[in-house]
Amino acid sequence: MTSLASGQEQVGSLRGLVFDRDFDAPLPLAQVMIVETNQRTTTTDQGNYFFSEVAPGTYTVVFSKDGYVRDVAGNVVVSAGRVTELNGSLAGDFEEMDEFIVQDALELAAGSEAALLDLRFDSPSLLDSISADLMSRAGASDAASALRLVAGATVQNDKFAVIRGLPDRYVSSQLNRVRLPSADEKTRAVELDQFPSPVIESIQVSKTFTPDQQGDASGGAVDIRLKRIPESTVFDFKGQVSMNTQAFGERDFLGYRGGGLDLFGSDDGDRDIQETGQNWTGAVGVREEDAPLDWKFSGTTGGKLDLDNGTRLGGLLSLFYERDSSHYDDGQNNRLWQETPGADLTPVKLQEMGFDDFKTAL
């Protein structure tokens, strides 16, 4: 028992508390090392550490932790049979930098649902939006398909926007807040199916009229926001083939002899001009033929180039093409007319020779 007690008296102990110098608070998980003996320990959640057996002598103790400046304590004396107290404090390892301003932070993530949700909260009008992420998950190939994902909005003829039940004459279509012209001379509505989804960052749909809107946007407004210079090389190709169920099967498709439309929808110039006195058989009118397949495709490619002077060049190139066909009815005339004033309505029939009066259909 005496030899054991004398052996315990030959060692001492070292303990203490490690602080965060900037906040004057205990620092957990800091490393404490005695250099001469290579003894190591880690502070507790309360910043405490303890070496239970340290041979008497003079030591160098190092306090360290990632993100902090290392602190070194020298000439620490440990006596036999005694507990030496030694506290340490670590300051944060910070580097002073020049002031800089982050701009367009929202636009950098404008294609995400979180950014568009903030935009809806800040908007003074009733605004809904579709992000590029949602269009990708929903499989929307173009802006018209994506518009179906918006509550209160739909698409007419697979291309024209209808908001809150109001037709295209009350809806304004924009591209990056710039008014879009129509590609159809017969309507002022914009064909939204000609904007492929790979080049769209978001689609913002305003369902209320505000002073900053176009004067004819009383029904609503559709604003297509395009993507900026891509961060990586982009290549995307999509195709679709469909058929008109009203033209296939029992119903034939109406076409005409000689010539047709070229790739761009213009007359291909193959129809011969019929002169007076020539054979007009099959030269005019329509004929029954097999209905064509409806198909469309879109291709998108793009990238960027960073120059040595810090200039960035890049862009997106997109191509869209669509071909569709229209059905026809069987030509049945169900209109009625009156033979004489006050008479009952009877089915319309062709004019007959010998009538004194000229009858028109109602």
mmCIF file of all heavy atoms in Angstrom, residues 88-107:
data_model
loop_
_atom_site.group_PDB
_atom_site.id
_atom_site.type_symbol
_atom_site.label_atom_id
_atom_site.label_comp_id
_atom_site.label_asym_id
_atom_site.label_seq_id
_atom_site.Cartn_x
_atom_site.Cartn_y
_atom_site.Cartn_z
ATOM 1 N N GLY A 88 -7.751 28.448 -21.477
ATOM 2 C CA GLY A 88 -7.356 28.942 -22.786
ATOM 3 C C GLY A 88 -8.504 29.678 -23.462
ATOM 4 O O GLY A 88 -9.678 29.477 -23.106
ATOM 5 N N SER A 89 -8.145 30.510 -24.411
ATOM 6 C CA SER A 89 -9.175 31.236 -25.164
ATOM 7 C C SER A 89 -8.744 31.304 -26.623
ATOM 8 O O SER A 89 -7.569 31.552 -26.927
ATOM 9 C CB SER A 89 -9.371 32.647 -24.597
ATOM 10 O OG SER A 89 -8.186 33.406 -24.706
ATOM 11 N N LEU A 90 -9.701 31.076 -27.510
ATOM 12 C CA LEU A 90 -9.440 31.060 -28.954
ATOM 13 C C LEU A 90 -10.262 32.152 -29.634
ATOM 14 O O LEU A 90 -11.453 32.317 -29.359
ATOM 15 C CB LEU A 90 -9.791 29.702 -29.561
ATOM 16 C CG LEU A 90 -9.026 28.492 -29.005
ATOM 17 C CD1 LEU A 90 -9.508 27.213 -29.679
ATOM 18 C CD2 LEU A 90 -7.535 28.669 -29.217
ATOM 19 N N ALA A 91 -9.622 32.868 -30.535
ATOM 20 C CA ALA A 91 -10.302 33.905 -31.321
ATOM 21 C C ALA A 91 -10.620 33.355 -32.709
ATOM 22 O O ALA A 91 -9.881 32.526 -33.263
ATOM 23 C CB ALA A 91 -9.424 35.155 -31.429
ATOM 24 N N GLY A 92 -11.725 33.820 -33.270
ATOM 25 C CA GLY A 92 -12.116 33.367 -34.596
ATOM 26 C C GLY A 92 -11.094 33.761 -35.655
ATOM 27 O O GLY A 92 -10.505 34.848 -35.605
ATOM 28 N N ASP A 93 -10.901 32.856 -36.608
ATOM 29 C CA ASP A 93 -9.947 33.101 -37.695
ATOM 30 C C ASP A 93 -10.691 33.764 -38.849
ATOM 31 O O ASP A 93 -11.272 33.098 -39.703
ATOM 32 C CB ASP A 93 -9.321 31.777 -38.143
ATOM 33 C CG ASP A 93 -8.201 31.984 -39.146
ATOM 34 O OD1 ASP A 93 -7.813 33.143 -39.360
ATOM 35 O OD2 ASP A 93 -7.715 30.983 -39.709
ATOM 36 N N PHE A 94 -10.700 35.086 -38.883
ATOM 37 C CA PHE A 94 -11.411 35.849 -39.898
ATOM 38 C C PHE A 94 -10.414 36.559 -40.800
ATOM 39 O O PHE A 94 -9.315 36.927 -40.365
ATOM 40 C CB PHE A 94 -12.355 36.883 -39.272
ATOM 41 C CG PHE A 94 -13.379 36.282 -38.343
ATOM 42 C CD1 PHE A 94 -13.276 36.437 -36.970
ATOM 43 C CD2 PHE A 94 -14.433 35.552 -38.862
ATOM 44 C CE1 PHE A 94 -14.216 35.881 -36.132
ATOM 45 C CE2 PHE A 94 -15.385 35.002 -38.024
ATOM 46 C CZ PHE A 94 -15.274 35.154 -36.651
ATOM 47 N N GLU A 95 -10.852 36.761 -42.042
ATOM 48 C CA GLU A 95 -10.026 37.482 -43.005
ATOM 49 C C GLU A 95 -10.805 38.676 -43.520
ATOM 50 O O GLU A 95 -11.928 38.533 -44.010
ATOM 51 C CB GLU A 95 -9.645 36.573 -44.186
ATOM 52 C CG GLU A 95 -8.765 37.264 -45.211
ATOM 53 C CD GLU A 95 -8.384 36.329 -46.347
ATOM 54 O OE1 GLU A 95 -8.715 35.136 -46.258
ATOM 55 O OE2 GLU A 95 -7.762 36.804 -47.305
ATOM 56 N N GLU A 96 -10.234 39.840 -43.375
ATOM 57 C CA GLU A 96 -10.883 41.056 -43.821
ATOM 58 C C GLU A 96 -10.871 41.110 -45.354
ATOM 59 O O GLU A 96 -9.841 40.906 -45.987
ATOM 60 C CB GLU A 96 -10.174 42.285 -43.251
ATOM 61 C CG GLU A 96 -10.284 42.428 -41.743
ATOM 62 C CD GLU A 96 -11.701 42.716 -41.294
ATOM 63 O OE1 GLU A 96 -12.477 43.270 -42.120
ATOM 64 O OE2 GLU A 96 -12.047 42.396 -40.147
ATOM 65 N N MET A 97 -12.038 41.395 -45.946
ATOM 66 C CA MET A 97 -12.168 41.464 -47.397
ATOM 67 C C MET A 97 -12.777 42.803 -47.785
ATOM 68 O O MET A 97 -13.429 43.466 -46.967
ATOM 69 C CB MET A 97 -13.047 40.321 -47.920
ATOM 70 C CG MET A 97 -12.517 38.934 -47.606
ATOM 71 S SD MET A 97 -13.615 37.634 -48.196
ATOM 72 C CE MET A 97 -13.546 37.941 -49.955
ATOM 73 N N ASP A 98 -12.533 43.171 -49.024
ATOM 74 C CA ASP A 98 -13.144 44.394 -49.527
ATOM 75 C C ASP A 98 -14.651 44.216 -49.645
ATOM 76 O O ASP A 98 -15.152 43.112 -49.906
ATOM 77 C CB ASP A 98 -12.561 44.768 -50.895
ATOM 78 C CG ASP A 98 -11.083 45.107 -50.805
ATOM 79 O OD1 ASP A 98 -10.656 45.522 -49.713
ATOM 80 O OD2 ASP A 98 -10.374 44.928 -51.818
ATOM 81 N N GLU A 99 -15.390 45.287 -49.467
ATOM 82 C CA GLU A 99 -16.846 45.240 -49.553
ATOM 83 C C GLU A 99 -17.285 44.954 -50.982
ATOM 84 O O GLU A 99 -16.729 45.495 -51.944
ATOM 85 C CB GLU A 99 -17.431 46.574 -49.098
ATOM 86 C CG GLU A 99 -18.955 46.616 -49.147
ATOM 87 C CD GLU A 99 -19.493 47.968 -48.727
ATOM 88 O OE1 GLU A 99 -18.682 48.853 -48.398
ATOM 89 O OE2 GLU A 99 -20.722 48.124 -48.740
ATOM 90 N N PHE A 100 -18.247 44.079 -51.121
ATOM 91 C CA PHE A 100 -18.832 43.821 -52.431
ATOM 92 C C PHE A 100 -20.334 43.633 -52.272
ATOM 93 O O PHE A 100 -20.810 43.275 -51.203
ATOM 94 C CB PHE A 100 -18.213 42.592 -53.101
ATOM 95 C CG PHE A 100 -18.518 41.299 -52.400
ATOM 96 C CD1 PHE A 100 -19.563 40.489 -52.844
ATOM 97 C CD2 PHE A 100 -17.781 40.884 -51.301
ATOM 98 C CE1 PHE A 100 -19.860 39.301 -52.202
ATOM 99 C CE2 PHE A 100 -18.069 39.688 -50.656
ATOM 100 C CZ PHE A 100 -19.103 38.912 -51.109
ATOM 101 N N ILE A 101 -21.058 43.904 -53.338
ATOM 102 C CA ILE A 101 -22.519 43.867 -53.328
ATOM 103 C C ILE A 101 -22.985 42.746 -54.236
ATOM 104 O O ILE A 101 -22.556 42.651 -55.396
ATOM 105 C CB ILE A 101 -23.114 45.205 -53.799
ATOM 106 C CG1 ILE A 101 -22.656 46.332 -52.859
ATOM 107 C CG2 ILE A 101 -24.636 45.138 -53.839
ATOM 108 C CD1 ILE A 101 -23.094 47.699 -53.309
ATOM 109 N N VAL A 102 -23.861 41.896 -53.728
ATOM 110 C CA VAL A 102 -24.441 40.819 -54.517
ATOM 111 C C VAL A 102 -25.684 41.357 -55.203
ATOM 112 O O VAL A 102 -26.608 41.840 -54.547
ATOM 113 C CB VAL A 102 -24.795 39.609 -53.643
ATOM 114 C CG1 VAL A 102 -25.426 38.517 -54.468
ATOM 115 C CG2 VAL A 102 -23.539 39.097 -52.934
ATOM 116 N N GLN A 103 -25.699 41.306 -56.527
ATOM 117 C CA GLN A 103 -26.820 41.808 -57.308
ATOM 118 C C GLN A 103 -27.569 40.660 -57.960
ATOM 119 O O GLN A 103 -26.997 39.607 -58.233
ATOM 120 C CB GLN A 103 -26.331 42.772 -58.394
ATOM 121 C CG GLN A 103 -25.679 44.032 -57.826
ATOM 122 C CD GLN A 103 -25.206 44.956 -58.918
ATOM 123 O OE1 GLN A 103 -25.099 44.556 -60.070
ATOM 124 N NE2 GLN A 103 -24.928 46.189 -58.563
ATOM 125 N N ASP A 104 -28.856 40.918 -58.226
ATOM 126 C CA ASP A 104 -29.700 39.952 -58.938
ATOM 127 C C ASP A 104 -29.682 38.599 -58.250
ATOM 128 O O ASP A 104 -29.610 37.559 -58.887
ATOM 129 C CB ASP A 104 -29.260 39.794 -60.392
ATOM 130 C CG ASP A 104 -29.379 41.079 -61.175
ATOM 131 O OD1 ASP A 104 -30.211 41.911 -60.771
ATOM 132 O OD2 ASP A 104 -28.650 41.251 -62.161
ATOM 133 N N ALA A 105 -29.723 38.606 -56.924
ATOM 134 C CA ALA A 105 -29.700 37.331 -56.207
ATOM 135 C C ALA A 105 -30.934 36.513 -56.512
ATOM 136 O O ALA A 105 -30.869 35.293 -56.662
ATOM 137 C CB ALA A 105 -29.597 37.570 -54.701
ATOM 138 N N LEU A 106 -32.094 37.166 -56.672
ATOM 139 C CA LEU A 106 -33.326 36.436 -56.961
ATOM 140 C C LEU A 106 -33.325 35.902 -58.384
ATOM 141 O O LEU A 106 -33.770 34.794 -58.636
ATOM 142 C CB LEU A 106 -34.535 37.344 -56.738
ATOM 143 C CG LEU A 106 -35.906 36.726 -57.006
ATOM 144 C CD1 LEU A 106 -36.117 35.525 -56.096
ATOM 145 C CD2 LEU A 106 -37.005 37.735 -56.792
ATOM 146 N N GLU A 107 -32.765 36.671 -59.333
ATOM 147 C CA GLU A 107 -32.785 36.241 -60.718
ATOM 148 C C GLU A 107 -31.906 35.020 -60.942
ATOM 149 O O GLU A 107 -32.146 34.228 -61.834
ATOM 150 C CB GLU A 107 -32.328 37.388 -61.623
ATOM 151 C CG GLU A 107 -33.305 38.555 -61.646
ATOM 152 C CD GLU A 107 -32.891 39.603 -62.650
ATOM 153 O OE1 GLU A 107 -31.922 39.355 -63.387
ATOM 154 O OE2 GLU A 107 -33.520 40.663 -62.676
#
